[in-house]
Amino acid sequence: MHALRHFHASVLLDAGENIEALSRHLGHSDPGFTLRICTHLMPSSEGRTRKAVDSMYEASGAAPDGPQAAQGG
């Protein structure tokens, strides 16, 4: 049953569910507790974060100013 609960939480997180809503749904009183318990269920979140920021810069037409730009790459 515990594995099913974790699977359910991971599906909701991957679908972009708000952590506060997920916390309430799971019956946790603290969204921070939910994050501590469920963070390992989000292995692709770093990649999604990077893509979201990249998309924002691409949409604005801003020139990249990250480490590669500073090194001339």
Coordinates of all heavy atoms in Angstrom, one line a residue:
M1 N 0.8 -1.2 0.0 CA 0.0 0.0 0.0 C 0.9 1.3 0.0 O 0.6 2.2 -0.7 CB -0.9 0.0 1.2 CG -2.0 1.0 1.1 SD -3.0 0.8 -0.4 CE -4.6 1.0 0.2
H2 N 2.0 1.2 0.7 CA 2.9 2.4 0.8 C 3.5 2.7 -0.6 O 3.6 3.8 -1.0 CB 4.0 2.1 1.8 CG 4.9 3.3 2.1 ND1 4.5 4.4 2.8 CD2 6.1 3.5 1.6 CE1 5.5 5.2 2.8 NE2 6.5 4.7 2.1
A3 N 3.8 1.6 -1.3 CA 4.4 1.8 -2.7 C 3.4 2.5 -3.6 O 3.7 3.3 -4.4 CB 4.9 0.5 -3.2
L4 N 2.1 2.1 -3.5 CA 1.1 2.6 -4.3 C 0.9 4.1 -4.0 O 0.7 4.9 -4.9 CB -0.2 1.8 -4.1 CG -1.4 2.3 -4.9 CD1 -1.1 2.2 -6.4 CD2 -2.7 1.4 -4.6
R5 N 0.9 4.4 -2.7 CA 0.8 5.8 -2.3 C 2.0 6.7 -2.9 O 1.7 7.8 -3.4 CB 0.8 5.9 -0.7 CG 0.6 7.3 -0.1 CD 0.6 7.1 1.4 NE 0.7 8.4 2.1 CZ -0.3 9.2 2.4 NH1 -1.5 8.8 2.1 NH2 -0.1 10.3 3.1
H6 N 3.2 6.1 -2.8 CA 4.3 6.9 -3.4 C 4.2 7.0 -4.9 O 4.5 8.0 -5.5 CB 5.6 6.1 -3.1 CG 6.4 6.7 -1.9 ND1 5.8 7.4 -0.9 CD2 7.7 6.6 -1.7 CE1 6.7 7.8 -0.1 NE2 7.9 7.3 -0.5
F7 N 3.7 5.9 -5.6 CA 3.5 6.0 -7.0 C 2.4 7.1 -7.3 O 2.6 7.9 -8.3 CB 3.0 4.6 -7.5 CG 2.6 4.7 -9.0 CD1 3.6 4.7 -10.0 CD2 1.3 4.6 -9.4 CE1 3.2 4.8 -11.3 CE2 0.9 4.7 -10.7 CZ 1.9 4.8 -11.7
H8 N 1.4 7.1 -6.6 CA 0.3 8.1 -6.8 C 0.9 9.5 -6.7 O 0.6 10.4 -7.5 CB -0.8 7.9 -5.8 CG -1.9 8.8 -5.9 ND1 -2.9 8.8 -6.9 CD2 -2.3 9.9 -5.1 CE1 -3.7 9.8 -6.7 NE2 -3.4 10.4 -5.6
A9 N 1.7 9.7 -5.6 CA 2.3 11.1 -5.4 C 3.2 11.4 -6.6 O 3.2 12.5 -7.0 CB 3.0 11.1 -4.1
S10 N 4.0 10.4 -7.0 CA 4.9 10.7 -8.1 C 4.2 11.1 -9.4 O 4.7 11.9 -10.1 CB 5.9 9.5 -8.3 OG 5.2 8.4 -8.8
V11 N 3.1 10.4 -9.7 CA 2.3 10.7 -10.9 C 1.8 12.2 -10.8 O 1.9 12.9 -11.8 CB 1.2 9.7 -11.1 CG1 0.2 10.2 -12.1 CG2 1.7 8.3 -11.4
L12 N 1.3 12.5 -9.6 CA 0.8 13.9 -9.5 C 1.9 14.9 -9.6 O 1.7 16.0 -10.2 CB 0.0 14.0 -8.1 CG -1.3 13.2 -8.0 CD1 -1.9 13.3 -6.6 CD2 -2.3 13.7 -9.1
L13 N 3.0 14.7 -9.0 CA 4.1 15.6 -9.1 C 4.6 15.7 -10.5 O 4.9 16.9 -11.0 CB 5.3 15.1 -8.2 CG 5.1 15.3 -6.7 CD1 6.2 14.6 -5.9 CD2 5.1 16.8 -6.3
D14 N 4.7 14.6 -11.2 CA 5.2 14.7 -12.6 C 4.2 15.4 -13.5 O 4.6 16.1 -14.4 CB 5.4 13.3 -13.1 CG 6.2 13.2 -14.4 OD1 7.3 13.9 -14.5 OD2 5.7 12.6 -15.3
A15 N 3.0 15.4 -13.1 CA 1.9 16.1 -13.9 C 1.9 17.6 -13.6 O 1.1 18.3 -14.2 CB 0.6 15.5 -13.6
G16 N 2.7 18.0 -12.6 CA 2.8 19.4 -12.2 C 1.9 19.8 -11.1 O 1.7 21.0 -10.9
E17 N 1.4 18.9 -10.3 CA 0.5 19.2 -9.2 C 1.3 20.1 -8.2 O 2.4 20.0 -8.0 CB 0.1 18.0 -8.5 CG -0.9 18.2 -7.3 CD -2.1 18.9 -7.7 OE1 -3.0 18.3 -8.2 OE2 -2.2 20.2 -7.4
N18 N 0.6 21.1 -7.7 CA 1.1 22.0 -6.7 C 1.4 21.2 -5.4 O 0.6 20.4 -5.0 CB 0.0 23.1 -6.4 CG 0.4 24.1 -5.4 OD1 0.4 23.7 -4.2 ND2 0.6 25.3 -5.8
I19 N 2.6 21.5 -4.8 CA 3.0 20.8 -3.6 C 2.0 20.9 -2.5 O 1.8 20.0 -1.7 CB 4.5 21.1 -3.3 CG1 5.0 20.0 -2.3 CG2 4.6 22.5 -2.7 CD1 5.1 18.6 -2.8
E20 N 1.5 22.1 -2.3 CA 0.5 22.4 -1.2 C -0.7 21.5 -1.4 O -1.3 20.9 -0.5 CB 0.2 23.8 -1.1 CG 1.4 24.6 -0.5 CD 1.0 26.1 -0.2 OE1 -0.2 26.3 0.1 OE2 1.9 26.9 -0.3
A21 N -1.2 21.5 -2.7 CA -2.4 20.7 -2.9 C -2.1 19.2 -2.7 O -2.9 18.5 -2.2 CB -2.9 20.9 -4.4
L22 N -1.0 18.8 -3.2 CA -0.6 17.4 -3.0 C -0.5 17.0 -1.5 O -0.9 16.0 -1.0 CB 0.7 17.1 -3.7 CG 1.2 15.6 -3.5 CD1 0.2 14.6 -4.1 CD2 2.6 15.5 -4.2
S23 N 0.1 17.9 -0.7 CA 0.3 17.7 0.7 C -1.1 17.5 1.4 O -1.3 16.6 2.2 CB 1.0 18.9 1.3 OG 1.2 18.8 2.7
R24 N -2.0 18.4 1.0 CA -3.4 18.3 1.6 C -4.0 16.9 1.2 O -4.6 16.2 2.0 CB -4.3 19.4 1.2 CG -4.0 20.7 1.9 CD -5.1 21.8 1.6 NE -5.3 22.0 0.2 CZ -4.6 22.9 -0.5 NH1 -3.6 23.7 0.1 NH2 -4.8 23.1 -1.8
H25 N -3.8 16.6 -0.1 CA -4.4 15.4 -0.7 C -3.9 14.1 0.1 O -4.6 13.2 0.3 CB -4.1 15.3 -2.2 CG -4.6 14.1 -2.8 ND1 -5.9 13.8 -3.1 CD2 -3.9 13.0 -3.3 CE1 -6.0 12.7 -3.7 NE2 -4.8 12.1 -3.8
L26 N -2.6 14.2 0.4 CA -1.9 13.1 1.1 C -2.2 13.1 2.6 O -1.9 12.1 3.3 CB -0.4 13.1 0.9 CG 0.0 12.8 -0.5 CD1 1.5 13.0 -0.7 CD2 -0.4 11.4 -1.0
G27 N -2.8 14.2 3.1 CA -3.1 14.3 4.5 C -2.0 14.8 5.4 O -2.0 14.6 6.6
H28 N -1.0 15.4 4.7 CA 0.1 16.0 5.5 C -0.2 17.4 5.9 O -0.9 18.1 5.2 CB 1.4 16.0 4.6 CG 1.9 14.7 4.1 ND1 2.7 14.6 3.0 CD2 1.6 13.4 4.6 CE1 3.0 13.3 2.9 NE2 2.3 12.6 3.8
S29 N 0.2 17.7 7.1 CA -0.2 19.1 7.6 C 0.9 20.1 7.2 O 0.6 21.3 7.3 CB -0.2 19.1 9.2 OG 1.0 18.6 9.7
D30 N 2.0 19.7 6.7 CA 3.1 20.6 6.3 C 3.6 20.2 4.9 O 4.1 19.1 4.7 CB 4.2 20.4 7.3 CG 5.5 21.2 7.0 OD1 5.4 22.2 6.2 OD2 6.5 20.9 7.5
P31 N 3.5 21.1 3.9 CA 4.0 20.9 2.6 C 5.5 20.6 2.6 O 6.0 19.9 1.8 CB 3.7 22.1 1.8 CG 2.6 22.8 2.5 CD 2.8 22.4 4.0
G32 N 6.3 21.1 3.6 CA 7.7 20.9 3.7 C 7.9 19.4 4.0 O 8.9 18.8 3.5
F33 N 7.1 18.8 4.8 CA 7.2 17.4 5.1 C 7.0 16.6 3.8 O 7.7 15.6 3.5 CB 6.2 17.0 6.1 CG 6.1 15.5 6.4 CD1 7.1 14.9 7.1 CD2 5.1 14.7 5.8 CE1 7.1 13.5 7.4 CE2 5.1 13.3 6.0 CZ 6.1 12.7 6.8
T34 N 6.0 17.0 3.0 CA 5.7 16.3 1.7 C 6.9 16.4 0.8 O 7.3 15.4 0.2 CB 4.5 16.9 1.1 OG1 3.4 16.9 2.0 CG2 4.1 16.2 -0.2
L35 N 7.5 17.6 0.7 CA 8.7 17.7 -0.1 C 9.9 16.8 0.3 O 10.5 16.2 -0.5 CB 9.2 19.2 -0.1 CG 8.4 20.1 -1.0 CD1 8.9 21.6 -0.8 CD2 8.5 19.7 -2.5
R36 N 10.1 16.8 1.7 CA 11.2 15.9 2.2 C 10.9 14.5 1.9 O 11.9 13.7 1.5 CB 11.3 16.2 3.7 CG 12.0 17.5 4.0 CD 12.3 17.6 5.5 NE 11.2 17.5 6.4 CZ 10.4 18.5 6.7 NH1 10.5 19.7 6.2 NH2 9.4 18.3 7.6
I37 N 9.7 14.0 1.9 CA 9.3 12.7 1.7 C 9.3 12.3 0.2 O 9.8 11.3 -0.2 CB 8.0 12.3 2.3 CG1 8.0 12.5 3.8 CG2 7.5 10.9 1.9 CD1 9.0 11.7 4.5
C38 N 8.9 13.3 -0.6 CA 8.6 13.0 -2.0 C 9.7 13.5 -3.0 O 9.6 13.2 -4.2 CB 7.3 13.5 -2.4 SG 5.9 12.8 -1.6
T39 N 10.7 14.2 -2.6 CA 11.7 14.8 -3.5 C 12.3 13.7 -4.3 O 12.5 14.0 -5.5 CB 12.7 15.5 -2.7 OG1 12.1 16.6 -1.9 CG2 13.8 16.1 -3.6
H40 N 12.6 12.6 -3.8 CA 13.2 11.5 -4.6 C 12.3 11.0 -5.7 O 12.7 10.3 -6.6 CB 13.6 10.3 -3.7 CG 12.5 9.6 -3.2 ND1 11.8 10.0 -2.1 CD2 11.9 8.4 -3.6 CE1 10.8 9.1 -1.8 NE2 10.9 8.1 -2.7
L41 N 11.0 11.4 -5.7 CA 10.1 11.0 -6.7 C 10.1 11.9 -7.9 O 9.4 11.7 -8.9 CB 8.7 11.0 -6.2 CG 8.4 10.0 -5.0 CD1 7.0 10.2 -4.5 CD2 8.6 8.6 -5.4
M42 N 11.0 12.9 -7.9 CA 11.0 13.9 -8.9 C 12.4 13.9 -9.6 O 13.1 15.0 -9.7 CB 10.7 15.3 -8.4 CG 9.4 15.4 -7.7 SD 9.0 17.0 -7.1 CE 10.0 17.1 -5.6
P43 N 12.9 12.8 -10.1 CA 14.2 12.8 -10.7 C 14.4 13.7 -11.9 O 15.5 14.2 -12.2 CB 14.5 11.4 -11.1 CG 13.1 10.8 -11.2 CD 12.2 11.6 -10.2
S44 N 13.3 14.0 -12.6 CA 13.4 14.8 -13.8 C 13.2 16.3 -13.6 O 13.2 17.1 -14.5 CB 12.5 14.3 -14.9 OG 11.1 14.4 -14.5
S45 N 13.0 16.7 -12.3 CA 12.6 18.1 -12.0 C 13.7 19.1 -12.4 O 13.4 20.2 -12.8 CB 12.2 18.2 -10.5 OG 13.3 18.0 -9.7
E46 N 15.0 18.7 -12.2 CA 16.1 19.6 -12.5 C 16.1 19.9 -14.0 O 16.2 21.0 -14.4 CB 17.4 18.9 -12.1 CG 18.6 19.9 -12.4 CD 19.9 19.3 -11.9 OE1 19.9 18.7 -10.8 OE2 20.9 19.5 -12.6
G47 N 15.8 18.9 -14.9 CA 15.8 19.1 -16.3 C 14.6 20.0 -16.7 O 14.7 20.8 -17.5
R48 N 13.4 19.7 -16.0 CA 12.2 20.6 -16.3 C 12.5 22.0 -15.9 O 12.1 22.9 -16.6 CB 11.0 20.0 -15.6 CG 10.4 18.8 -16.3 CD 9.0 18.4 -15.8 NE 8.9 18.4 -14.3 CZ 9.0 17.4 -13.6 NH1 9.3 16.2 -14.1 NH2 8.9 17.4 -12.3
T49 N 13.2 22.2 -14.8 CA 13.5 23.5 -14.3 C 14.4 24.3 -15.3 O 14.1 25.4 -15.7 CB 14.2 23.5 -12.9 OG1 13.3 22.9 -12.0 CG2 14.5 24.9 -12.5
R50 N 15.4 23.6 -15.8 CA 16.3 24.2 -16.7 C 15.6 24.5 -18.0 O 15.7 25.6 -18.6 CB 17.4 23.2 -17.0 CG 18.7 23.8 -17.5 CD 19.9 22.8 -17.6 NE 19.6 21.4 -17.5 CZ 19.8 20.7 -16.5 NH1 20.2 21.2 -15.3 NH2 19.6 19.4 -16.5
K51 N 14.7 23.6 -18.5 CA 13.9 23.9 -19.7 C 13.0 25.1 -19.6 O 12.8 25.9 -20.5 CB 13.1 22.7 -20.1 CG 14.0 21.6 -20.8 CD 13.1 20.4 -21.2 CE 13.9 19.3 -21.7 NZ 13.0 18.1 -22.0
A52 N 12.4 25.2 -18.4 CA 11.5 26.3 -18.1 C 12.2 27.6 -18.2 O 11.7 28.6 -18.8 CB 10.8 26.1 -16.8
V53 N 13.3 27.7 -17.6 CA 14.1 29.0 -17.6 C 14.6 29.3 -19.0 O 14.6 30.4 -19.4 CB 15.3 28.9 -16.5 CG1 16.2 30.1 -16.7 CG2 14.7 28.8 -15.1
D54 N 15.1 28.2 -19.7 CA 15.6 28.4 -21.0 C 14.5 29.0 -21.9 O 14.7 29.9 -22.7 CB 16.2 27.1 -21.6 CG 17.5 26.7 -21.0 OD1 18.1 27.6 -20.3 OD2 17.9 25.6 -21.2
S55 N 13.3 28.4 -21.8 CA 12.1 28.8 -22.6 C 11.8 30.3 -22.3 O 11.4 31.0 -23.2 CB 10.9 27.9 -22.3 OG 11.2 26.6 -22.7
M56 N 11.9 30.7 -21.1 CA 11.6 32.1 -20.7 C 12.5 33.0 -21.4 O 12.1 34.0 -22.0 CB 11.6 32.2 -19.2 CG 11.1 33.6 -18.7 SD 12.3 34.8 -18.1 CE 13.7 33.9 -17.6
Y57 N 13.8 32.7 -21.4 CA 14.8 33.5 -22.1 C 14.7 33.5 -23.6 O 14.8 34.5 -24.2 CB 16.2 33.1 -21.7 CG 16.7 33.6 -20.3 CD1 16.8 32.8 -19.3 CD2 16.9 35.0 -20.2 CE1 17.2 33.3 -18.0 CE2 17.3 35.5 -18.9 CZ 17.4 34.7 -17.9 OH 17.8 35.1 -16.7
E58 N 14.4 32.3 -24.2 CA 14.2 32.3 -25.6 C 13.0 33.1 -26.0 O 13.0 33.8 -27.0 CB 14.0 30.8 -26.0 CG 15.2 30.0 -25.9 CD 15.0 28.5 -26.1 OE1 13.8 28.1 -26.4 OE2 16.0 27.7 -26.0
A59 N 11.9 33.1 -25.2 CA 10.7 33.8 -25.6 C 10.9 35.3 -25.5 O 10.4 36.1 -26.2 CB 9.5 33.4 -24.6
S60 N 11.8 35.7 -24.6 CA 12.1 37.2 -24.4 C 13.1 37.7 -25.4 O 13.3 38.9 -25.5 CB 12.6 37.5 -23.0 OG 13.9 37.0 -22.8
G61 N 13.8 36.8 -26.1 CA 14.8 37.2 -27.0 C 16.1 37.6 -26.4 O 17.0 38.2 -27.0
A62 N 16.2 37.4 -25.1 CA 17.4 37.8 -24.3 C 18.6 36.9 -24.7 O 18.5 35.7 -25.0 CB 17.2 37.7 -22.8
A63 N 19.8 37.5 -24.8 CA 21.0 36.8 -25.1 C 21.4 36.0 -23.8 O 21.2 36.4 -22.7 CB 22.1 37.7 -25.5
P64 N 21.9 34.8 -24.0 CA 22.4 34.0 -22.9 C 23.5 34.7 -22.2 O 24.3 35.3 -22.8 CB 22.8 32.7 -23.5 CG 23.0 32.9 -25.0 CD 22.2 34.1 -25.3
D65 N 23.5 34.6 -20.8 CA 24.5 35.2 -20.1 C 25.1 34.2 -19.0 O 25.6 34.6 -18.0 CB 24.1 36.5 -19.4 CG 22.9 36.3 -18.4 OD1 22.4 35.2 -18.4 OD2 22.6 37.3 -17.8
G66 N 25.0 32.9 -19.3 CA 25.4 31.9 -18.3 C 26.9 31.7 -18.5 O 27.7 32.5 -19.1
P67 N 27.4 30.6 -17.8 CA 28.9 30.4 -17.8 C 29.5 30.2 -19.2 O 30.6 30.7 -19.5 CB 29.0 29.0 -17.1 CG 27.7 28.9 -16.3 CD 26.7 29.7 -17.1
Q68 N 28.7 29.7 -20.2 CA 29.2 29.5 -21.5 C 29.5 30.9 -22.2 O 30.4 31.1 -22.9 CB 28.3 28.7 -22.4 CG 28.1 27.2 -21.9 CD 27.1 27.1 -20.8 OE1 26.4 28.0 -20.4 NE2 27.0 25.9 -20.3
A69 N 28.5 31.8 -22.0 CA 28.7 33.1 -22.5 C 29.9 33.8 -22.0 O 30.6 34.5 -22.7 CB 27.4 33.9 -22.3
A70 N 30.1 33.7 -20.7 CA 31.3 34.3 -20.0 C 32.6 33.8 -20.5 O 33.6 34.4 -20.6 CB 31.2 34.1 -18.5
Q71 N 32.6 32.5 -21.0 CA 33.8 31.9 -21.5 C 33.9 32.0 -23.0 O 34.8 31.4 -23.6 CB 33.8 30.4 -21.1 CG 33.9 30.2 -19.6 CD 33.6 28.7 -19.2 OE1 33.4 27.9 -20.1 NE2 33.6 28.5 -17.9
G72 N 33.0 32.7 -23.6 CA 33.0 32.9 -25.0 C 32.5 31.8 -25.8 O 32.7 31.7 -27.0
G73 N 31.7 30.8 -25.2 CA 31.2 29.7 -25.8 C 29.8 29.7 -26.0 O 29.0 29.3 -26.6

